[in-house]
Every structure is written in structure tokens, then in C-alpha cells.
Amino acid sequence: MTSILDSVDSRTNLVGENRLELLMFQLGTRQVFAINVFKVREVLKVPHLNQMPGSHPKICGVATIRGHSIPVIDMRQSIGLRPLDKDQETNLIVTEYNRSIQAFLVGKVVYIKNMGWDEIMEPPNTGRANYLTAITKLEHENEHKLVEIIDVEKVLAEIISYDIGISDGVLDEDLSNHLVGQKVLVVDDSSTARKQVTETLGQLGIECIEKKNGQQALNLLKSWCDEGKDPRNEILLMITDAEMPEMDGYKLTSEVRADSRMHDLYIALNTSLSGSFNEAMVEKVGCNRFVSKFQPDLLVDVVQTRMREALGK
């Protein structure tokens, strides 16, 4: 356990290489679940939890960690199962998503696994898959295990509603007519994240083409090129997540930039990962903009900036 927990902070150097590391854990059963290590701040044994009257039923308390009060979410209950029983194997996984810090109550933390995104597959459309972004298979202790990767953004969206309202003064009335009917390619493995982007941009009259991973998006862009179409005439821009099965957003951007037929496509990276890290990655792979997830005003700003550029304003 100690070696697993001590290693979390050093496990971020694979992002941008179409690889990831998964922190794997159980929820009181033999089934193995996972989240990306990059979003994990620390893992610790469960401290005393203070109850918070009137809180969401999936919040099982508040922990004081390093002087900060952090809400604790029962991960097992959040994916549709009964609440997790606390025992000696119960742990907290402290994470940072969308500029907020929260902890998840989980069972036994198993280990960390280094994998390629091409080893990550879409989940089946049944049962608990509503709370999964992907699945993977691996061997551990001579067993073949199915690992279910949880859609944390969906879990959080059911507890903290995300507003798609656009603030007064953000919309540029001079651009509104030009935006109506424009198309944007939205690439994200989380249905919750795609919905947030499409509903935000839908208020501007923009049509969104949705893809679940980088490979699907790249296939679409290449098919347009093969048909003699310029992707810039098909879409105003592409908004892509960073972490996705088969091909992540960094690799997708690199592939687009390496193809002379579409190398100047406008690309915005829309992710819940650390802002300072992604600003560096944006420069490295050649994205045009970085947008922290679930900030509708920033999404609108990106689209309007691109529209002005296209109009030569």
C-alpha cells in the first residue's frame, strides 16, 4: 500500500505520449474500478468524517485534510450501488476535477497500472456502463480482470449541477448571425462533458458533431481530406478532451498538425486536468487554446475568437 500511495505524485510524465496510468481500486467486491492517476492528489486512510446536514445523499461527510474541508463522495453509491461499508481496507482518493477538490470513499486500493490509450475500450451499453467512460483488460496475480474506468465527470455532475448559462456581456452581438449554422467537432469520451459543450454552443445556433475519442475524430477528418474537402470548410474548430480511449487529445492534435491537408485546423483543448500542465502541453503539441472544463463563458470566448479570425476581424 505504501509504495502505491507514495508513487502517485510521480506518475504524470506519460501524458502526451498516448499513455496513462490508472489507479485501480475495489468497492467492496472483487470487481476492479479505476480512475486516471493524473487527477489523483493523494490516497489516504479514512479520517474522521464530519456530517454535513442537508448535503447530497451521495456525500457521506466532510474530511479535514491539511487544513482544508473536503467533501467525501461515496463512490460505490455514486455508480448506483448500495453505500460502501467502512472497514480496515477503506480509503479516500483525493482528486482535483474542474478546478475543485473532492475525495472519493473507496474500498481496497489495488495498484497502479501503466497502459496505452489503445488498450482502453468503450464500455458496453448495459447496466453500470452509464457510469463508465471505458473498460480495459489486464492480468494480475494470474487472473484476467476486467477493469471499469469510472466517468467521474458524470458522477460529479449528478451531485453538483453544471450551469450552461452565458454571462451578460460575453456574447458579441456583431458575431451572432455569423455563428448560426456553424459546425464544431466535439471530441470527448464523457457523455456528460459532450452534453455540456453541445448545449452551451447550441445557444449560439452552432451545430456540434460528436465523437467519443481521438481516433474517431481523426478518422472523420481524414475522410474529409480523402474526399477532397478542407476540414476548415466543414467545421469552425475542433474542441477535444485530453484523456480518451484509443487516442488522447494530445496525440490527436499531433496527428492533425502532421497532416499537411489539415495542419492549420483550429483546435481547443477542453479538459478537467491541471491548468498549468495543460498550458505547457498546448504549446508542445500545437493546440490553439486551452479551456478548463465546464466554463461556458470561456467556451463561447474560444468560439467567438475563432469566428473573428475566420472573418478576418
Side-chain angles (χ1 to χ4, degrees), residues 84-118:
L84 183 67
D85 294 326
K86 300 181 185 66
D87 57 31
Q88 67 274 11
E89 291 190 332
T90 310
N91 293 278
L92 287 189
I93 300 177
V94 182
T95 66
E96 183 173 359
Y97 281 83
N98 307 324
R99 309 169 314 283
S100 68
I101 299 171
Q102 55 283 309
F104 291 99
L105 182 72
V106 302
K108 180 181 179 181
V109 174
V110 184
Y111 56 100
I112 289 174
K113 177 67 175 178
N114 178 331
M115 307 189 75
W117 277 112
D118 56 357

Side-chain angles (χ1 to χ4, degrees), residues 13-274:
N13 59 337
L14 298 178
V15 180
E17 304 298 330
N18 208 42
R19 298 191 67 80
L20 78 161
E21 287 193 315
L22 294 174
L23 178 64
M24 301 186 181
F25 54 89
Q26 295 172 325
L27 294 174
T29 66
R30 290 178 57 83
Q31 175 60 46
V32 178
F33 299 88
I35 61 175
N36 194 324
V37 165
F38 197 71
K39 293 177 180 176
V40 176
R41 296 184 63 151
E42 61 181 316
V43 183
L44 63 158
K45 302 307 293 185
V46 182
H48 173 73
L49 300 182
N50 296 308
Q51 298 306 305
M52 192 163 58
S55 63
H56 192 282
K58 293 176 183 177
I59 296 178
C60 53
V62 175
T64 301
I65 301 174
R66 308 189 195 289
H68 297 281
S69 296
I70 298 175
V72 177
I73 299 166
D74 187 325
M75 183 68 90
R76 179 183 167 101
Q77 187 178 7
S78 294
I79 62 172
L81 303 175
R82 63 173 177 79
L84 183 67
D85 294 326
K86 300 181 185 66
D87 57 31
Q88 67 274 11
E89 291 190 332
T90 310
N91 293 278
L92 287 189
I93 300 177
V94 182
T95 66
E96 183 173 359
Y97 281 83
N98 307 324
R99 309 169 314 283
S100 68
I101 299 171
Q102 55 283 309
F104 291 99
L105 182 72
V106 302
K108 180 181 179 181
V109 174
V110 184
Y111 56 100
I112 289 174
K113 177 67 175 178
N114 178 331
M115 307 189 75
W117 277 112
D118 56 357
E119 300 176 76
I120 311 298
M121 301 163 286
E122 287 188 30
N125 294 318
T126 57
R128 202 164 47 237
N130 285 333
Y131 290 94
L132 306 179
T133 57
I135 59 173
T136 190
K137 295 178 181 179
L138 54 89
E139 292 186 16
H140 180 60
E141 297 177 351
N142 298 319
E143 289 185 76
H144 293 279
K145 290 184 177 289
L146 179 69
V147 178
E148 299 184 351
I149 303 171
I150 293 177
D151 185 348
V152 178
E153 288 165 353
K154 177 178 176 61
V155 168
L156 292 175
E158 292 185 350
I159 297 172
I160 308 166
S161 59
Y162 292 120
D163 185 11
I164 62 165
I166 302 169
S167 301
D168 292 341
V170 171
L171 288 176
D172 184 340
E173 297 300 331
D174 293 337
L175 291 177
S176 58
N177 290 336
H178 296 287
L179 291 171
V180 174
Q182 293 289 338
K183 294 182 180 180
V184 171
L185 178 57
V186 179
V187 192
D188 202 304
D189 59 329
S190 170
S191 60
T192 299
R194 292 198 308 274
K195 181 179 179 182
Q196 190 267 343
V197 175
T198 57
E199 289 186 350
T200 298
L201 299 187
Q203 298 172 87
L204 309 181
I206 292 174
E207 177 186 339
C208 292
I209 303 169
E210 299 181 46
K211 295 298 176 183
K212 296 179 181 179
N213 61 60
Q215 189 62 61
Q216 288 183 2
L218 185 63
N219 290 345
L220 174 64
L221 294 169
K222 285 189 171 182
S223 71
W224 286 337
C225 292
D226 292 342
E227 294 168 6
K229 299 176 180 177
D230 185 340
R232 294 176 304 172
N233 295 331
E234 303 299 317
I235 55 174
L236 182 65
L237 74 156
M238 177 169 69
I239 299 174
T240 179
D241 186 23
E243 308 166 273
M244 296 176 288
E246 296 191 47
M247 179 183 291
D248 66 23
Y250 307 111
K251 179 68 172 176
L252 169 61
T253 301
S254 295
E255 291 289 328
V256 170
R257 296 296 182 236
D259 192 324
S260 61
R261 302 173 298 175
M262 54 179 168
H263 70 277
D264 52 358
L265 181 68
Y266 196 99
I267 302 173
L269 190 72
N270 184 43
T271 172
S272 56
L273 292 175
S274 161

